[in-house]
Amino acid sequence: MTTTKNFKLSTLAIALAALGGASASGFALAQEEEASNDNNVEVIEIKGIRSSLTKALAEKRASSKLVEVIQSDDIGKLPDQNLAEVLENVTGIQITRTAGVGTAVQIRGTDENRVEINGVSTVGSGSGRGGISFEDLPAALISSVEVTKAPEAKTIEGSVGGTINLRTLRPLELTDTVFAVRGKVQNSDLDVDDNYSPILSGTFGDNWSTDNGEFGIVISASYAEQNVSAFRPRADRDGLVTTDQNYDADGRAGESSDRIIGSAEDFDFLRIQFFNQDYDILDYETTNFSASFEWQPNDKLRLYVDALVNDQQRTQESTEIQFSGVSDIDVVDITTNTSFETVNFGSIDTPSGIINIPSIQAVTSGVLLPDAILASGLNPNIRTTTNTGARLTDSSVIRIGGEWTDDKYVLSAEYAVSQSDTVTPNFATRLDFINPNSAQPVLGGSVDNGTPVEFDLRGGTLQFGIAQGLATSPTTAQLLDPANYALSQAQQVRDLSENEETAFRSDFTYFLDGAIPFVSSIDVGYRYNESSTLNNDFNNSRVNLTSSSSEFDRPRASLFSNIVVPGSPNFNAADGRRLFVRDFLIINPGLSYSDPDAVAQAINSAIISASDDPNNPGETLGALVQDESAFFDISEETHALYAQANFESDILRGSVGLRYVTTELTSIGLVENNGSFEQLVETGDYDFVLPRLNLVADINSDVVLRASLGRDINRPDFDNLSTSTQFTVNANAPVVAGNPNLVPEDIWSVDLAVEYYFAPSSVLSAGVFYKKRKDLFIPFTEDPPGNVVDGVLNIDITAPCEDGGIFNPVADRNINNPSPGEGICVPFQSTFNGNGDTTQKGIELAFQYDLAGFEDDLGWASGFGVIANYTYQDASSGDDFRSFNSRGIAILEALGIAEEDAQDRVELQNLSKNAYNFTLFYEKYGISARARYTWRSAYIATDAFQFGLPRVNEARGQLNASINYDVNENLSFGLEGINITQSDAEQSCVNEGGLLCFQGLTDRRILVGASYRF
């Protein structure tokens, strides 16, 4: 074919021969044959686990940059069903999961990576930069995965950890007709309905020689359903009770009453703040279609068209039982604390140095009684919440291009469009349980009333439920009676997100044929892309009856019993816990999704019926209207130029080059001004020069050394660039504002690696990496002061919040201020470029070996093989700090740490210091089996905060296994187990091993299926 293609094929052939145990004379013979016939293309048949590992290893060895490769051992047979879980096989990669399903990938401890399909950028369903979600693409459509850890000058900019390129079959590379169909059913242990979900896919591919050249086509389609459940109990113990802390008859700290009730204990301890019993059911329905067409009219010209279309529907039914109002319960006569634990929060890295936090006691078991001796006489109380959401995403990636090859050069051009349109409807409702056995609400007090709670948090199990056998204990009949539930809150939203990237690129390679010593070719190229994102949220007027003047006329659920159903009774199914809430009522989550208008109409009718004035009932759900504060329309225009010299000698090969990038940004948002919203437009621009060097030394036929140096950038997420200001109704939730003045993060990376190919299809490798990161994106929150007046929280309710925070005109004051109504100072949150440099360094070790060469000695046992890798990472953070919230400050002050030291240095999220994979596989007699155990150490979470700091995801391992049997060359059957040991996902507060506050009880999935290749 061409000089460049022959070079690549020759290198790959040599690597394959070496990995297959060929002799040096075999290398020479392969080179001589290719030199004598430019059109001679070696055909490599890939079949089975061992063959796929061999081909992937050969591609890694032949590459002039640092890459990791996973190949399919047959069409549609990557090692896992989920692409995130496929990538977990790669050294230096860890994944995060949602309800046990892999959803995000970290390369060297960061989510800030690029995802491409056949070299084309993808866009995500939200405002992030990470590209298409791995939930949206089945592994059955992908033939191989390439992870580039050290980029070349021609590599598109925009990642911290690396670039993930998902590759589909190329039609003109097929040597036989491909026609395969696959079918599986999947069952989840925690699925209350015990459904069996189908997974179907098929692929057809072929090419033909005609008078008009070579034609080829590959078409793939897939349809998958998946049901995943997760039980997520949460216990907050972030309230401090001190020995000198007293309560008056109103249940308020202080001494404003003649009747003083003392603390329940004679030592300081952390009490219960509230309990959450959360149950999430996620249903996925994914349809994908991909097609590739190639035409090669002659030896010099190749044209192609690729298209991938995705339709993802993910619905989520989240049910939550909350024991609220328990924050003043730890006083004498109304609580029984039966056990405590000593909590060591570890240390904090403050501006004045590292401070070790003294230990403190935290309650672990007991009974909380309704506080009838206090004037309110109502706590603790039960709330049931239903949150029915969905993500409905239509996305596509289309590219059209061609390549002209001559003896001296290769010229290519490509036009590509990636788009993603997402609708996220959500219907959230909350009911309050009014316990008929407890003191009833009285005018001027709380609308909730007391239900006794028993809890036992010992042994790492966060379990709690309704205390039984007491006068105030509700019966099952009472818990399932709609007349005992009052409507509290309801809101319907519908958010729209439209993302698109249009790109054109042209690349030119010129072969020097010895004109410059050691330089084999020069690459130059240009890329233009325009990226845009539009976010538009819609909601109806929120029903919030807990603080309205007519709160005691709130409709009971008996007025809308047609939309009320019992909640799932199997919260103990994951771990057999003793304490949980089995019987409760919720608003029908399925109906809230399928017919939200009917639910809204039933709620409104009930509000009108319960009102003293049906003509003026107060808050009802109205039509969906735009939420101006959440709107943004952002576009970027980028030009990139690169030049790269490729070099090769007897030992050394690689590339050196520069990439120049310039970007212009336009951010359009809406900002409130005197009750109306005005458009605000911000513009900006930046440019970077990105030098990149890759060196490979082929020391001998067994040893390869690699070194690389490069610079890259990481652009901020689009929502962080918004000029809009967003308000919520929660007085504790921060108002989030964008920052269009953010500049990209600047990353320098160094890599060194050695690879020892000591046996056929085997390798032992070691590598070190170092990254220096500047201008990190740091979320910053400014809290209003937690003013307490006469023992009552009294946060400022007047604008402009001079003492801190931002005024939120729509927030319900709730317990944060004794004056009922809306409008209060709340935390203000935005994102800024961090101070100082953050550095990462790490070690990556990998080992791959099989016993195929010992068949004569071992017989059946020669089918075994092993793959293992280990990654160590460490990070040194910049000069940015997070402050504890008011509860955290109170705890630290009680432990002797001053408020000014109640800060902790910002650390990188999702970075595990240690991680490893171990895979044992067996392939012989038609059997292909593998078992993989993955483990990662603790890391800082991105989605939850406590004490004002992010929670810590504790260390976790997971075991997956599969076995397939080939009946013949065409038919095979398989069985796969995912999360076989049902490993829990726990979160702790402040530091690893600190206070356990969250428990994720995950699902186990079993898949059974068959495939047939015609």
Side-chain angles (χ1 to χ4, degrees):
M1 276 286 294
T2 67
T3 306
T4 182
K5 289 188 175 180
N6 281 337
F7 169 73
K8 292 179 180 177
L9 285 170
S10 177
T11 307
L12 182 57
I14 292 172
L16 281 166
L19 293 174
S23 65
S25 61
F27 300 162
L29 179 60
Q31 289 174 309
E32 285 179 8
E33 287 179 346
E34 284 204 322
S36 64
N37 184 354
D38 283 348
N39 291 318
N40 181 23
V41 177
E42 291 205 17
V43 176
I44 305 165
E45 183 180 0
I46 302 301
K47 196 173 182 181
I49 296 175
R50 189 170 289 107
S51 295
S52 67
L53 295 174
T54 298
K55 185 177 180 182
L57 209 57
E59 185 174 347
K60 170 183 172 69
R61 179 175 181 173
S63 177
S64 294
K65 57 184 178 181
L66 183 57
V67 298
E68 306 286 350
V69 180
I70 300 175
Q71 292 279 2
S72 173
D73 57 312
D74 199 356
I75 179 65
K77 292 180 66 177
L78 282 169
D80 296 274
Q81 299 299 313
N82 176 286
L83 279 170
E85 292 162 9
V86 168
L87 284 159
E88 196 177 26
N89 292 275
V90 173
T91 309
I93 288 185
Q94 294 86 48
I95 70 172
T96 50
R97 292 176 166 87
T98 301
V101 176
T103 53
V105 171
Q106 294 87 49
I107 303 177
R108 293 175 168 176
T110 178
D111 294 89
E112 309 301 331
N113 309 300
R114 282 181 52 81
V115 177
E116 301 175 346
I117 297 178
N118 293 324
V120 174
S121 301
T122 63
V123 295
S125 58
S127 58
R129 299 278 190 171
I132 193 167
S133 171
F134 291 106
E135 300 171 277
D136 296 359
L137 281 177
L141 296 185
I142 306 302
S143 64
S144 63
V145 180
E146 178 191 58
V147 180
T148 299
K149 296 179 179 177
E152 300 173 295
K154 64 172 66 175
T155 306
I156 301 172
E157 75 286 345
S159 73
V160 178
T163 297
I164 300 168
N165 185 26
L166 309 173
R167 303 186 301 207
T168 60
L169 284 177
R170 305 313 308 156
L172 292 182
E173 293 179 3
L174 297 177
T175 58
D176 294 301
T177 301
V178 173
F179 188 14
V181 293
R182 298 163 295 278
K184 295 185 179 183
V185 292
Q186 179 175 237
N187 179 260
S188 300
D189 279 6
L190 301 184
D191 180 6
V192 68
D193 297 322
D194 198 26
N195 289 321
Y196 288 82
S197 305
I199 302 174
L200 306 172
S201 61
T203 301
F204 170 78
D206 205 354
N207 52 46
W208 306 270
S209 295
T210 71
D211 293 339
N212 295 315
E214 300 281 335
F215 290 88
I217 188 170
V218 173
I219 299 174
S220 295
S222 72
Y223 173 81
E225 296 179 8
Q226 187 176 43
N227 179 284
V228 179
S229 300
F231 298 162
R232 295 151 41 94
R234 170 181 168 184
D236 281 12
R237 290 175 285 174
D238 56 354
L240 176 68
V241 178
T242 61
T243 55
D244 59 351
Q245 184 170 320
N246 295 321
Y247 294 81
D248 64 24
D250 295 323
R252 297 169 179 171
E255 298 184 0
S256 60
S257 171
D258 293 335
R259 183 178 183 182
I260 303 300
I261 306 170
S263 169
E265 309 297 337
D266 59 0
F267 53 86
D268 297 348
F269 69 98
L270 299 181
R271 57 167 168 76
I272 302 299
Q273 183 67 24
F274 63 78
F275 294 117
N276 271 10
Q277 175 178 301
D278 183 77
Y279 181 22
D280 297 332
I281 302 174
L282 285 78
D283 285 307
Y284 296 81
E285 183 178 354
T286 308
T287 305
N288 296 91
F289 173 82
S290 70
S292 297
F293 172 78
E294 291 183 318
W295 175 35
Q296 189 168 315
N298 53 55
D299 288 344
K300 293 187 176 182
L301 179 62
R302 182 177 67 93
L303 303 173
Y304 58 84
V305 178
D306 290 347
L308 186 144
V309 179
N310 165 75
D311 179 11
Q312 166 73 282
Q313 299 185 46
R314 190 193 75 176
T315 60
Q316 178 172 338
E317 298 178 5
S318 296
T319 302
E320 183 178 275
I321 312 300
Q322 183 183 97
F323 288 99
S324 185
V326 300
S327 53
D328 290 335
I329 303 303
D330 277 304
V331 292
V332 173
D333 297 332
I334 57 174
T335 186
T336 302
N337 298 320
T338 56
S339 66
F340 295 83
E341 65 178 341
T342 301
V343 176
N344 186 347
F345 283 114
S347 62
I348 50 177
D349 187 357
T350 74
S352 58
I354 295 178
I355 298 176
N356 293 316
I357 305 175
S359 60
I360 190 171
Q361 295 296 298
V363 64
T364 53
S365 64
V367 176
L368 305 177
L369 299 176
D371 51 354
I373 64 173
L374 302 182
S376 57
L378 305 172
N379 291 321
N381 54 76
I382 294 179
R383 297 170 176 174
T384 71
T385 300
T386 304
N387 197 328
T388 302
R391 177 171 69 84
L392 313 176
T393 300
D394 291 320
S395 60
S396 63
V397 178
I398 299 174
R399 70 168 186 159
I400 303 172
E403 180 181 87
W404 179 271
T405 303
D406 207 334
D407 292 337
K408 286 288 189 178
Y409 64 87
V410 176
L411 175 64
S412 63
E414 180 179 280
Y415 173 79
V417 178
S418 301
Q419 66 84 33
S420 176
D421 295 337
T422 299
V423 179
T424 52
N426 182 276
F427 208 129
T429 56
R430 193 177 85 183
L431 303 177
D432 291 339
F433 176 67
I434 311 299
N435 186 0
N437 301 332
S438 186
Q440 296 301 294
V442 293
L443 189 63
S446 171
V447 298
D448 304 319
N449 70 329
T451 300
V453 180
E454 180 185 359
F455 64 96
D456 189 347
L457 314 182
R458 293 172 294 184
T461 300
L462 303 181
Q463 57 177 329
F464 40 85
I466 297 172
Q468 301 299 311
L470 303 176
T472 53
S473 300
T475 66
T476 296
Q478 290 169 336
L479 288 165
L480 296 178
D481 185 352
N484 293 328
Y485 289 83
L487 179 67
S488 173
Q489 295 178 359
Q491 186 173 33
Q492 182 185 0
V493 301
R494 187 176 180 86
D495 300 341
L496 307 178
S497 177
E498 299 177 3
N499 298 323
E500 182 174 310
E501 178 173 298
T502 302
F504 169 81
R505 66 180 299 173
S506 179
D507 301 275
F508 179 76
T509 300
Y510 184 76
F511 303 103
L512 296 175
D513 291 336
I516 301 178
F518 305 115
V519 180
S520 58
S521 63
I522 294 176
D523 296 325
V524 295
Y526 165 76
R527 183 176 185 267
Y528 167 84
N529 72 277
E530 182 175 355
S531 302
S532 64
T533 183
L534 172 68
N535 188 84
N536 217 355
D537 295 354
F538 297 84
N539 57 52
N540 51 16
S541 55
R542 179 176 183 263
V543 172
N544 184 30
L545 300 180
T546 57
S547 63
S548 67
S549 60
S550 60
E551 55 190 11
F552 295 100
D553 295 323
R554 291 191 300 154
R556 297 295 178 102
S558 53
L559 294 175
F560 49 90
S561 59
N562 60 314
I563 64 169
V564 174
V565 296
S568 177
N570 69 328
F571 197 83
N572 67 330
D575 60 355
R577 60 185 49 225
R578 176 178 66 89
L579 296 173
F580 66 102
V581 181
R582 180 190 302 274
D583 304 304
F584 57 96
L585 294 180
I586 56 175
I587 291 180
N588 190 333
L591 187 64
S592 298
Y593 173 70
S594 63
D595 194 354
D597 292 339
V599 174
Q601 182 178 353
I603 289 174
N604 287 341
S605 296
I607 292 173
I608 295 172
S609 298
S611 175
D612 293 334
D613 183 3
N615 295 320
N616 186 24
E619 296 177 314
T620 58
L621 292 172
L624 291 172
V625 296
Q626 182 185 17
D627 179 5
E628 291 92 344
S629 64
F631 169 85
F632 58 82
D633 185 0
I634 300 172
S635 62
E636 286 180 343
E637 189 176 273
T638 297
H639 300 267
L641 293 167
Y642 77 86
Q644 172 177 310
N646 306 298
F647 51 85
E648 182 180 16
S649 67
D650 293 338
I651 294 180
L652 286 178
R653 52 189 168 93
S655 66
V656 60
L658 292 174
R659 187 175 187 88
Y660 172 73
V661 179
T662 177
T663 299
E664 295 181 355
L665 166 74
T666 301
S667 178
I668 302 174
L670 298 174
V671 177
E672 188 176 10
N673 184 12
N674 295 326
S676 62
F677 283 85
E678 300 176 351
Q679 189 177 97
L680 177 64
V681 181
E682 295 275 357
T683 60
D685 60 83
Y686 54 82
D687 57 76
F688 285 86
V689 176
L690 309 176
R692 294 168 178 180
L693 168 68
N694 283 272
L695 288 173
V696 181
D698 297 301
I699 302 301
N700 53 45
S701 61
D702 296 331
V703 179
V704 176
L705 301 180
R706 298 183 186 273
S708 66
L709 170 68
R711 186 188 189 194
D712 211 330
I713 60 172
N714 175 38
R715 296 182 173 93
D717 289 343
F718 285 111
D719 56 347
N720 288 333
L721 296 170
S722 169
T723 60
S724 296
T725 304
Q726 188 171 357
F727 297 94
T728 70
V729 295
N730 187 343
N732 295 309
V735 169
V736 180
N739 180 4
N741 296 315
L742 285 172
V743 299
E745 181 185 345
D746 190 351
I747 309 106
W748 281 91
S749 301
V750 178
D751 282 271
L752 297 171
V754 57
E755 299 160 5
Y756 175 39
Y757 299 91
F758 60 91
S761 305
S762 303
V763 69
L764 174 63
S765 67
V768 296
F769 65 87
Y770 175 86
K771 292 181 181 290
K772 184 176 181 180
R773 303 171 60 176
K774 179 183 177 182
D775 294 326
L776 263 69
F777 310 129
I778 305 296
F780 172 81
T781 301
E782 179 186 77
D783 291 303
N787 295 326
V788 177
V789 179
D790 293 331
V792 179
L793 192 59
N794 198 331
I795 292 179
D796 189 4
I797 58 174
T798 59
C801 306
E802 295 90 344
D803 295 328
I806 186 172
F807 186 75
N808 184 341
V810 300
D812 175 19
R813 293 168 186 167
N814 202 354
I815 63 171
N816 290 345
N817 189 286
S819 301
E822 295 180 340
I824 192 170
C825 294
V826 302
F828 170 73
Q829 180 176 303
S830 189
T831 301
F832 300 88
N833 290 114
N835 299 308
D837 294 331
T838 295
T839 60
Q840 286 178 255
K841 54 187 176 182
I843 300 171
E844 297 176 344
L845 305 175
F847 176 76
Q848 179 177 310
Y849 185 62
D850 67 69
L851 302 176
F854 299 94
E855 183 170 8
D856 293 340
D857 299 321
L858 299 177
W860 64 270
S862 64
F864 282 105
V866 63
I867 307 169
N869 62 63
Y870 167 76
T871 302
Y872 167 82
Q873 302 176 91
D874 195 15
S876 175
S877 300
D879 299 323
D880 300 281
F881 297 85
R882 286 192 176 96
S883 298
F884 282 74
N885 61 18
S886 57
R887 290 186 186 130
I889 291 172
I891 294 170
L892 293 182
E893 287 184 330
L895 296 174
I897 298 174
E899 179 176 349
E900 57 267 23
D901 288 326
Q903 301 178 62
D904 197 20
R905 190 180 300 272
V906 173
E907 296 184 60
L908 294 178
Q909 299 173 330
N910 279 345
L911 186 147
S912 291
K913 181 168 285 190
N914 295 280
Y916 66 83
N917 268 312
F918 182 85
T919 300
L920 178 68
F921 67 87
Y922 182 84
E923 186 175 49
K924 205 169 182 64
Y925 311 121
I927 298 173
S928 294
R930 71 178 89 207
R932 184 181 82 242
Y933 183 78
T934 61
W935 182 89
R936 64 182 300 185
S937 61
Y939 59 96
I940 295 174
T942 60
D943 59 348
F945 284 74
Q946 204 75 16
F947 295 93
L949 303 181
R951 297 184 200 154
V952 176
N953 288 311
E954 293 289 353
R956 181 180 183 273
Q958 179 163 317
L959 176 64
N960 297 348
S962 64
I963 183 170
N964 290 274
Y965 177 67
D966 295 332
V967 178
N968 51 47
E969 291 185 355
N970 305 105
L971 178 64
S972 66
F973 293 94
L975 173 67
E976 182 176 358
I978 300 173
N979 192 24
I980 294 174
T981 58
Q982 288 186 286
S983 302
D984 290 355
E986 297 179 346
Q987 286 184 335
S988 296
C989 294
V990 181
N991 283 306
E992 178 185 359
L995 186 67
L996 178 64
C997 49
F998 182 97
Q999 196 177 8
L1001 309 178
T1002 57
D1003 214 346
R1004 173 171 51 213
R1005 291 171 283 147
I1006 303 297
L1007 297 92
V1008 180
S1011 64
Y1012 190 85
R1013 181 165 181 163
F1014 296 89

